[in-house]
Amino acid sequence: MKRITIAALSLALAAHAWPALAHEGHHVAGEKVVKKSITGEVVDTGCYLGHAARGEKHISCATKCLNQGMPMGLLTSNGTLYLITLDHDNADPYNSLKSMAGKNVTVTGELLSRSGMKAIEASAIQIANK
């Protein structure tokens, strides 16, 4: 008969529970959840932060960067840059944004902020009116 140690049992339980815990939300207990719609240009954060690359002339490069995993940002008309994060329950809006570099879109989702960084979880998107 095999003996199961407490350590092995704990490891097995932790491995089983980890996927559920990993997607329980982005907020610390007690934090207020704010859902909002924000409009701006989809940019790849590497080129935008590195050398202010954006707009129509940068669409091809930004699209390539986003498809290779560069984080996406939403640049508002007042110059605020939001990191766009994935909604774990619905990845479609986030994945659709990868082909919208240089376009103005409205992203709806939970606002996130930590250590001075702002983000929005992409729960819904639509092309913005100009």
Side-chain angles (χ1 to χ4, degrees):
M1 183 162 110
K2 290 185 178 180
R3 277 177 87 186
I4 298 176
T5 65
I6 292 176
L9 182 58
S10 296
L11 183 61
L13 289 173
H16 178 71
W18 180 253
L21 293 174
H23 298 291
E24 288 217 0
H26 294 117
H27 299 280
V28 175
E31 280 186 333
K32 183 178 178 184
V33 175
V34 177
K35 191 170 184 177
K36 191 170 180 181
S37 295
I38 298 176
T39 299
E41 179 185 337
V42 176
V43 297
D44 73 282
T45 58
C47 290
Y48 178 73
L49 293 171
H51 50 93
R54 59 180 286 259
E56 242 179 83
K57 293 180 182 177
H58 190 68
I59 290 174
S60 176
C61 178
T63 301
K64 181 179 178 182
C65 288
L66 294 176
N67 285 326
Q68 291 181 353
M70 182 65 67
M72 279 185 283
L74 188 66
L75 181 63
T76 66
S77 61
N78 71 1
T80 302
L81 180 65
Y82 290 85
L83 176 69
I84 301 172
T85 64
L86 175 78
D87 179 342
H88 295 294
D89 295 325
N90 180 11
D92 293 343
Y94 180 88
N95 289 328
S96 294
L97 284 169
K98 291 179 184 179
S99 65
M100 296 182 184
K103 294 187 175 22
N104 282 314
V105 300
T106 299
V107 177
T108 301
E110 290 183 19
L111 292 182
L112 309 164
S113 180
R114 185 123 17 251
S115 300
M117 178 176 266
K118 293 182 177 191
I120 185 166
E121 184 178 79
S123 298
I125 60 165
Q126 65 181 33
I127 297 291
N129 297 328
K130 286 196 173 193

